[in-house]
Amino acid sequence: MSLPPTVRVWDPAVRLFHWTLVPAFVIAYLSGEEVLDLHVLAGYLIGGLVGFRILWGLIGTRHARFSDFVRSPRTVREYLRSLLSGRPQHYLGHNPAGGAMVVVLLGMLALTTLSGMTLYGAKELAGPMAFLAAYPVFASDWFEGLHELCANFTLALIAAHIAAVLISSLLHGENLVRAMITGTKRSPQHE
Amino acid sequence: MSKPDLGLVSLAFAVAGTLIVAPTLSVGEISASRGAADWVRQESGPDGAPRSCVTCHGEDPRQPGRHAITGKPIAPLAPSVQPGRFSDPEKVEKWFKRNCTWSWGRECTAQEKGDFLTYLRNL
Amino acid sequence: MARIHRVTALAAVSVLGIAGWVIGGDRHEREDEGRRERQRIFVDSRMTAQDPTYRAECGGCHLAYPPGLLPAASWERIMMGLGEHFGDDASLQTATAERVGRFLQANAADGNGWGRSARIARSLGGELPPLRITDTRYFRRHHEQIPPKRVLSNPEVVSYGRCDACHPAAARGDFDEHAVRIPGAGPWDD
C-alpha cells in the first residue's frame, strides 16, 4: 500500500488567519495618524486575529495547537544545530524554532495592539480604553514611542520570520509558503 | 464814540470774531485732524474697559494691528498701504457699528465716521 | 542553557530590536518631512472653512474655525448668542446668519462617525455643549503638554484660539502634530 502523496497540515482557519494577518499588519504599519481611522481598524482586526489564534492554539486542529510546536529551549537549540549540521530534523507542523517565533510574534502583536489601544484611549479619548483618559501618562510621547517600538520590533521579527521560512524551506527541500497556502505538505519519508 | 464809529468797530469785531471762531465750529464739517485726534481718544467699552481705535489698530494705521482679544493680526487700515480699504460701503458701516460700540460703548456719529475716513485716506 | 548560548540569544534579540527601532525611527522622520511639505492625501471637508460667507463674516477677528471642531449643538448656541459673542456684538443680518448657521450645522463634528471630528464629538460627555473649541476635552488633552506662557505670553500667539499661529495649515484642516511650529520656539519637539 502506498502512502498518499500529500498530507494535510494546516487547517483553513490557520491559513486564513495567517494570510489575513499579513495585509492587516501592512496596512496598520503604513497608515498612521494621517488616516487614523484606517490604522485603528487594522489594529482591531489584528487584535481579533491574535485573539482567535490563541484560542485556536488551545482547542484547534492538531498542528494548530501550541502543544504541537511549543518546545523547550533545549529542543529549539537541538533543532537549530541539526539545521547547521546538514541533517535537519523534520517536523510536519511548526518546527521548534518556528514554534518559538509563533509565540514571540503573537506576543509582540498583542503588545503592539494593546499599547495602541491604550494610546488611542488616552490621547484620542476614543475606543474601548477611553476610560484611560484620566491617566495622561498613557497619552505621553514616551508611551507613543513605546507603541512605535513594539511595532518596529514586530516588523524586525517578521523580517526574521520570512528569512527563517526561506532558509527552512531550502534546508528541508519543501515549499513552506505554499504549504501555508494549500495547507498540505509532501508525505514524510520514512527514516 | 460816534454812532458811525461804533458801527465800524462792531463790524470789525464781528468779522474778526467770525474769522477766528468759525474755523472752530464743527457743525457739518469733516476734519482729518479731528479724525486723528479721535483715533487715540479713549472711552469706555460696554464692559467698562477703556478702549480706543489704537487698542486693535495701533497708533499708526499704516502698520498692521492685532485684535486685542484673539491676537489675530489685522492688516493696516490706511488705503495707501492696503489698497481696497473702505471700497465697500456696507463693510465700512458694519465695522464702524461693531468697533465704535466695542470701543466707545456707542455708535459713532456721521461726522466722526467722516473724520476717521478722511484721516485714514490722507495717510 | 550554557552562558554562550544565552549571550548569543540576547545579542540576536537585541540586534533585531535595535534594527527595527532604527529602521522605524528613520522612516518616521522621513515621513514627517514629507508631511510638512506636501498636501495631505486625505482631507475631511468638515475640517476646512469652505463657505466664503462664513469665512468673510466669521474670519475677521479670529480664524474662521473649521466647523468640524465643535458639535452642532455648540454652533447653535453660538449662533443664538451672536449679540453677546465673547464680549462683542457679532450680530449678522438674518439671511447671512441663516446661511452661516446652515453651513455650520452641515459640517459639525457630530455629522458622521469617522475622523478627528467624530472623536472630538464623542469625547464630549453629557455636558452642556461648549462654546469654545479650547474648552473641549479633546483640545485640552492635545495641548496640556505646552507651557502656557509659550502661548499666552508669546506676542506672536497671544491666545489658544489662534490655531494658525502654530498650526500653519489650520485653514486646510491639517492639525498634524508633527507639523507644529510655535513662533519663537521652532518645531514642537516631541
Side-chain angles (χ1 to χ4, degrees), chain C residues 93-175:
Chain C
Q93 291 178 333
T94 315
T96 312
E98 270 173 14
R99 185 184 159 142
V100 168
R102 270 200 306 272
F103 168 71
L104 291 171
Q105 292 293 310
N107 292 279
D110 45 355
N112 61 34
W114 52 271
R116 202 192 286 275
S117 296
R119 294 197 289 276
I120 293 173
R122 278 199 294 263
S123 72
L124 297 167
E127 66 236 42
L128 195 63
L131 287 176
R132 294 174 196 267
I133 293 162
T134 50
D135 278 345
T136 60
R137 288 180 74 208
Y138 191 92
F139 180 90
R140 289 215 176 113
R141 173 46 40 94
H142 280 261
H143 293 79
E144 61 195 9
Q145 290 175 357
I146 306 168
K149 67 172 166 43
R150 282 240 204 246
V151 173
L152 304 172
S153 312
N154 188 337
E156 296 300 312
V157 185
V158 173
S159 149
Y160 281 98
R162 287 209 55 223
C163 319
D164 51 340
C166 303
H167 295 279
R172 280 206 310 265
D174 185 351
F175 294 95

Side-chain angles (χ1 to χ4, degrees), chain A residues 29-37 73 77 81 101 120-126 130 132-136 139-141 144-145 148-149 152-153 155-157 160, chain C residues 1-2 5 13 16-17 19-21 23-25 27-28 31 35 38-42 114-116 119 122-123 137-138 141-142 144-145 176-178 188-190:
Chain A
Y29 192 82
L30 293 179
S31 66
E33 282 161 276
E34 207 171 297
V35 274
L36 194 59
D37 290 321
R77 261 203 327 273
R81 232 181 273 127
M101 177 58 89
Y120 193 54
K123 192 169 174 192
E124 296 293 314
L125 313 176
L132 289 173
Y135 307 99
S140 64
D141 307 314
E144 190 170 337
E148 279 176 17
L149 182 63
N152 289 326
F153 190 53
L155 185 67
L157 285 173
Chain C
M1 222 193 201
H5 294 141
V13 168
L16 276 177
W21 189 19
I23 295 168
R27 187 195 135 249
H28 191 68
E31 211 178 52
R35 277 208 204 107
R38 59 153 206 257
Q39 273 272 14
R40 285 172 71 86
I41 302 167
F42 181 74
W114 52 271
R116 202 192 286 275
R119 294 197 289 276
R122 278 199 294 263
S123 72
R137 288 180 74 208
Y138 191 92
R141 173 46 40 94
H142 280 261
E144 61 195 9
Q145 290 175 357
D176 185 355
E177 68 175 292
H178 300 292
W188 177 247
D189 194 6
D190 271 343

